[in-house]
Amino acid sequence: MVNPWPPTDRDPAWMLHRPSAWFTDAMTSPSAAEEQSAPGGRRSFLEIVRRYRRMLALQTTLALVAGLAEAFVLVMVTRLALAAAEDADRVAIPAGPEVSLTMAAAASIAAIAVKTVVGVASAHTVARLFASGLTYIRRRLVAAFFRADWETISSEKLGDLQTLVTGHAQRVGQALLHLSGLMLSAGRIIVILGAAVVVSPIAAALAILFGGLVALAVSPFTRATKRYAERLKDTMRLVGVRTTETTRLAVEARAFGVEDHVLGDLDTAYFDAEDSIRRGRLATQLGPQVYQNLALLLIVIGAATVASLGSTDVADIGATLLLLLRSFTYAQGAQAQYQSLVQALPFIDDLMRRTHELEDNPARTGSVEIDHVGDVVLDGVTFAYGDAEPVLRDVHLTIGKGETVGVIGPSGAGKSTLIQLILGLRRPTRGRLLFGGVDLDEVSRADLRRLVAYVPQEPRLMSTTVAENLRFFRRLTDGDLREAAERANILDDVLSRDGGFEASVGPAGAEVSGGQRQRLTIARALAARPEVLILDEPTSSLDDEADRAIQAGLGSLHGEITVIVITHRASTLQMCDRVLRLDGDGTVREDHPAVELGIEPQ
């Protein structure tokens, strides 16, 4: 899948080198057939690995260099120790000539310096790999969410996206760390075993054979780790969803005195997660311990075998054993990294599956540019959710430019569906929706969002200034904000606060009243000078004073822009030229306020 953002100067490619890419290219670029046959978690992770294959190749190259330096030092330490014991004045360089003790010590120190520099470079690469991988997948997931069509977004469970962005995405960064560590250990093992082959081929061959046996012995722990990780993945998503849902109901829980029942319900999810965590962690901890003990046993057996073969070169025996000990230490680390990687794969698979679902269902956009809306026409519009009965059935309706139209009806009658259709969030099952004679499916979404504004029933503000809440990431002037605040009848309230437009509204708007929050969201909608304003129950939860303030603001818009408002308040319906009644049978009936409510229109 193409990255939703183009490469930037923060992309890891700047530190990659072509010569080192061949190693991971072979490892991480499977054919289409191989990728299709790979398990879901592996296939999803390979998608991420391919993005960072060069950085991983660089890490492998650094590991090989560090391994060579370490192997050289281990052999030289053994030979220097033996030379000191035998009072010798020269030692042999591995695969080289004999040199003085001073020269041998200097070469060893140089090798240590190389290993140190390489270690610093490796640490930098690992840190960048983790941070970049984590940021990339978070940006990709959130971008896919915001760019997906409404049907896909609306199916998202409350708290699910947060769980994916925080918990699952973290596993991506960790998995890259584990893969990097695995490649680091593997590179060092290869070099150290290579050095052991040079020093004592028999001992090295035994080490490779015994290492394979140890890997087979710990494989059950790896399978158990993956099995419990699969369970943990599901329970962690459940924990995220249930926690978000119940915390949003904290007021109701307190009011009804059911806090203990809520906690008990959450405990079920928490204990399920605890069981999976405990079992998975146990398998992860036991694997390395079993590996370590078996490795030590095999080192003893290997030493005894080398001795029984009659080797008399003490330096070679000592160097071989030291090299084998280090190789098994790295192998133990590799085993631990592999188990941790396996544990992360189910989470990555889940994360990538959801990301692909969002990316595969992008919001539709047309190519026809419009500079005005004109009449909003529903031409035989029918809409149904799936195979259910239509919510709206063969609706023929024209809303003229500058009209104020009220929408009423019982819960579930289709009021929100009608609004979502006009906003272009959903498409009619049958029929057409026209803006100024242009089919809404063909209208550029940029023009649609500029010309049609929406105010939700529950006003939501960001924890920032009044100005930033009204601007809402758009390029609007201070004059635009002031004019919008005046039209929404909130300007005097804003100017009366210390700081005016630069005053903070507090966390999620906690420092302003409910009526002020609603009027601020209306001002936000008006700031870009839309031609159509859609409001969903803008005064349903407000007192009479706040209601009057909003009515005054909306009244000033009458005849200037098209207003479509879902409401049941008579004071709001008084402002309407017409009222649309949705009766719940899929039909839309037009009534005049005077007929329905016994009031005279303004």
Side-chain angles (χ1 to χ4, degrees), residues 3 12 28 65 102 106 116 127 130 137 210 212 240 274 277 350 387 397 424 426 534 540 548 553 569 583 594:
N3 181 19
T28 63
V65 174
T102 302
T116 301
F130 174 81
I137 198 60
F210 292 158
E274 178 191 4
I277 292 171
D350 195 33
D387 296 329
L397 174 68
R426 299 188 186 275
I534 300 174
S540 61
R548 284 192 295 272
R569 276 198 158 176
D583 291 326

Tab-separated table of all heavy atoms in Angstrom, residues 3 12 28 65 102 106 116 127 130 137 210 212 240 274 277 350 387 397 424 426 534 540 548 553 569 583 594:
chain	number	residue	atom	x	y	z
A	3	ASN	N	2.297	4.740	0.880
A	3	ASN	CA	2.296	5.559	2.080
A	3	ASN	C	1.426	6.785	1.863
A	3	ASN	O	1.563	7.465	0.841
A	3	ASN	CB	3.742	5.973	2.389
A	3	ASN	CG	3.832	6.811	3.637
A	3	ASN	OD1	2.924	6.805	4.463
A	3	ASN	ND2	4.925	7.526	3.786
A	12	PRO	N	13.572	7.460	6.770
A	12	PRO	CA	14.840	6.816	7.112
A	12	PRO	C	15.766	6.608	5.926
A	12	PRO	O	16.916	6.235	6.092
A	12	PRO	CB	14.392	5.476	7.702
A	12	PRO	CG	13.039	5.224	7.139
A	12	PRO	CD	12.411	6.577	6.997
A	28	THR	N	13.343	-10.247	2.832
A	28	THR	CA	12.070	-9.575	3.083
A	28	THR	C	11.298	-9.207	1.836
A	28	THR	O	10.348	-8.468	1.915
A	28	THR	CB	12.317	-8.287	3.893
A	28	THR	OG1	13.121	-7.413	3.096
A	28	THR	CG2	13.021	-8.582	5.184
A	65	VAL	N	30.312	-6.453	11.304
A	65	VAL	CA	31.552	-5.760	11.664
A	65	VAL	C	31.836	-5.909	13.157
A	65	VAL	O	32.969	-6.210	13.573
A	65	VAL	CB	31.472	-4.274	11.271
A	65	VAL	CG1	32.705	-3.522	11.781
A	65	VAL	CG2	31.343	-4.125	9.767
A	102	THR	N	53.112	-6.122	22.371
A	102	THR	CA	52.627	-4.748	22.309
A	102	THR	C	51.740	-4.536	21.087
A	102	THR	O	50.667	-3.923	21.157
A	102	THR	CB	53.815	-3.765	22.256
A	102	THR	OG1	54.624	-3.964	23.412
A	102	THR	CG2	53.338	-2.327	22.206
A	106	ALA	N	47.779	-3.655	21.018
A	106	ALA	CA	47.295	-2.482	20.289
A	106	ALA	C	46.207	-2.880	19.295
A	106	ALA	O	45.191	-2.175	19.140
A	106	ALA	CB	48.461	-1.798	19.576
A	116	THR	N	33.107	-0.465	19.607
A	116	THR	CA	32.399	0.595	20.331
A	116	THR	C	31.717	1.563	19.371
A	116	THR	O	30.537	1.916	19.537
A	116	THR	CB	33.378	1.372	21.227
A	116	THR	OG1	33.983	0.468	22.153
A	116	THR	CG2	32.651	2.470	21.993
A	127	ALA	N	17.230	2.991	17.589
A	127	ALA	CA	16.335	4.014	18.130
A	127	ALA	C	15.526	4.668	17.023
A	127	ALA	O	14.307	4.900	17.155
A	127	ALA	CB	17.150	5.073	18.887
A	130	PHE	N	12.821	2.168	15.668
A	130	PHE	CA	11.656	2.050	16.543
A	130	PHE	C	10.750	3.272	16.411
A	130	PHE	O	9.538	3.147	16.188
A	130	PHE	CB	12.103	1.884	17.998
A	130	PHE	CG	10.974	1.894	18.985
A	130	PHE	CD1	10.220	0.763	19.202
A	130	PHE	CD2	10.664	3.046	19.692
A	130	PHE	CE1	9.170	0.764	20.104
A	130	PHE	CE2	9.613	3.072	20.590
A	130	PHE	CZ	8.866	1.921	20.797
A	137	ILE	N	3.279	3.850	11.277
A	137	ILE	CA	2.046	3.060	11.303
A	137	ILE	C	0.921	3.844	11.966
A	137	ILE	O	-0.251	3.706	11.594
A	137	ILE	CB	2.276	1.702	11.999
A	137	ILE	CG1	1.158	0.727	11.636
A	137	ILE	CG2	2.405	1.854	13.503
A	137	ILE	CD1	1.053	0.439	10.163
A	210	PHE	N	24.754	-28.976	17.949
A	210	PHE	CA	24.094	-28.865	19.251
A	210	PHE	C	23.132	-27.675	19.279
A	210	PHE	O	22.069	-27.728	19.891
A	210	PHE	CB	25.138	-28.724	20.359
A	210	PHE	CG	25.965	-29.964	20.571
A	210	PHE	CD1	27.205	-29.898	21.182
A	210	PHE	CD2	25.500	-31.193	20.132
A	210	PHE	CE1	27.965	-31.040	21.377
A	210	PHE	CE2	26.253	-32.345	20.323
A	210	PHE	CZ	27.489	-32.269	20.938
A	212	GLY	N	21.331	-26.549	16.818
A	212	GLY	CA	20.091	-26.968	16.175
A	212	GLY	C	19.220	-27.790	17.105
A	212	GLY	O	17.988	-27.632	17.137
A	240	GLY	N	-9.840	-2.263	25.674
A	240	GLY	CA	-9.871	-0.879	25.219
A	240	GLY	C	-11.279	-0.389	24.945
A	240	GLY	O	-11.661	0.708	25.359
A	274	GLU	N	-5.288	-10.711	31.822
A	274	GLU	CA	-4.251	-11.119	32.765
A	274	GLU	C	-3.831	-12.569	32.527
A	274	GLU	O	-2.642	-12.900	32.549
A	274	GLU	CB	-4.758	-10.957	34.199
A	274	GLU	CG	-3.734	-11.415	35.242
A	274	GLU	CD	-4.315	-11.505	36.638
A	274	GLU	OE1	-5.528	-11.292	36.792
A	274	GLU	OE2	-3.555	-11.810	37.568
A	277	ILE	N	-1.715	-12.725	29.426
A	277	ILE	CA	-0.412	-12.108	29.681
A	277	ILE	C	0.463	-13.041	30.508
A	277	ILE	O	1.651	-13.251	30.208
A	277	ILE	CB	-0.593	-10.757	30.406
A	277	ILE	CG1	-1.255	-9.741	29.463
A	277	ILE	CG2	0.752	-10.216	30.885
A	277	ILE	CD1	-1.674	-8.456	30.145
A	350	ASP	N	-3.580	-7.834	13.286
A	350	ASP	CA	-4.854	-7.185	13.593
A	350	ASP	C	-4.830	-5.714	13.176
A	350	ASP	O	-5.777	-5.187	12.571
A	350	ASP	CB	-5.131	-7.310	15.087
A	350	ASP	CG	-6.573	-7.004	15.449
A	350	ASP	OD1	-7.463	-7.310	14.629
A	350	ASP	OD2	-6.813	-6.479	16.546
A	387	ASP	N	-29.585	-5.039	4.017
A	387	ASP	CA	-30.800	-5.703	3.514
A	387	ASP	C	-32.048	-5.319	4.304
A	387	ASP	O	-33.120	-5.891	4.082
A	387	ASP	CB	-30.611	-7.227	3.577
A	387	ASP	CG	-29.487	-7.698	2.668
A	387	ASP	OD1	-29.277	-7.058	1.636
A	387	ASP	OD2	-28.821	-8.701	3.018
A	397	LEU	N	-37.933	15.883	-3.085
A	397	LEU	CA	-37.901	17.065	-2.232
A	397	LEU	C	-36.963	18.103	-2.837
A	397	LEU	O	-35.894	17.769	-3.346
A	397	LEU	CB	-37.411	16.675	-0.830
A	397	LEU	CG	-37.166	17.788	0.183
A	397	LEU	CD1	-38.473	18.447	0.579
A	397	LEU	CD2	-36.455	17.230	1.413
A	424	GLY	N	-23.285	14.209	2.018
A	424	GLY	CA	-22.464	13.379	1.140
A	424	GLY	C	-21.730	12.275	1.863
A	424	GLY	O	-20.815	11.660	1.305
A	426	ARG	N	-23.194	9.480	3.009
A	426	ARG	CA	-23.755	8.232	2.507
A	426	ARG	C	-24.330	8.466	1.113
A	426	ARG	O	-24.661	9.600	0.743
A	426	ARG	CB	-24.847	7.697	3.444
A	426	ARG	CG	-24.344	7.379	4.844
A	426	ARG	CD	-25.422	6.673	5.653
A	426	ARG	NE	-25.025	6.479	7.031
A	426	ARG	CZ	-24.289	5.452	7.468
A	426	ARG	NH1	-23.896	4.527	6.598
A	426	ARG	NH2	-23.982	5.337	8.739
A	534	ILE	N	-26.230	22.913	8.205
A	534	ILE	CA	-27.036	21.803	8.712
A	534	ILE	C	-26.780	21.676	10.204
A	534	ILE	O	-25.621	21.598	10.643
A	534	ILE	CB	-26.677	20.497	7.989
A	534	ILE	CG1	-26.946	20.638	6.487
A	534	ILE	CG2	-27.447	19.317	8.559
A	534	ILE	CD1	-26.489	19.455	5.663
A	540	SER	N	-31.170	21.190	21.979
A	540	SER	CA	-31.955	20.165	22.679
A	540	SER	C	-31.646	20.086	24.170
A	540	SER	O	-32.522	19.789	24.976
A	540	SER	CB	-31.716	18.800	22.030
A	540	SER	OG	-30.353	18.443	22.129
A	548	ARG	N	-32.500	31.062	23.438
A	548	ARG	CA	-32.825	32.358	22.831
A	548	ARG	C	-31.596	32.973	22.162
A	548	ARG	O	-31.699	33.583	21.089
A	548	ARG	CB	-33.382	33.312	23.898
A	548	ARG	CG	-34.822	33.012	24.293
A	548	ARG	CD	-35.400	34.144	25.107
A	548	ARG	NE	-34.721	34.304	26.393
A	548	ARG	CZ	-35.056	33.664	27.514
A	548	ARG	NH1	-36.082	32.813	27.503
A	548	ARG	NH2	-34.413	33.865	28.638
A	553	GLY	N	-29.032	34.174	16.825
A	553	GLY	CA	-27.975	34.011	15.828
A	553	GLY	C	-28.497	33.363	14.559
A	553	GLY	O	-28.195	33.818	13.443
A	569	ARG	N	-37.920	21.672	19.117
A	569	ARG	CA	-38.280	22.857	19.876
A	569	ARG	C	-39.143	23.781	19.028
A	569	ARG	O	-38.785	24.127	17.907
A	569	ARG	CB	-37.033	23.589	20.351
A	569	ARG	CG	-36.475	23.028	21.645
A	569	ARG	CD	-35.536	23.997	22.317
A	569	ARG	NE	-35.434	23.704	23.740
A	569	ARG	CZ	-34.616	24.337	24.572
A	569	ARG	NH1	-33.827	25.291	24.125
A	569	ARG	NH2	-34.601	24.027	25.855
A	583	ASP	N	-42.003	10.061	9.354
A	583	ASP	CA	-42.909	9.282	10.202
A	583	ASP	C	-42.385	7.892	10.537
A	583	ASP	O	-43.038	7.150	11.263
A	583	ASP	CB	-44.281	9.157	9.523
A	583	ASP	CG	-45.001	10.499	9.472
A	583	ASP	OD1	-44.825	11.287	10.431
A	583	ASP	OD2	-45.700	10.768	8.490
A	594	ALA	N	-47.475	26.401	11.028
A	594	ALA	CA	-48.790	26.812	11.515
A	594	ALA	C	-49.757	25.637	11.552
A	594	ALA	O	-50.637	25.566	12.420
A	594	ALA	CB	-49.353	27.923	10.623
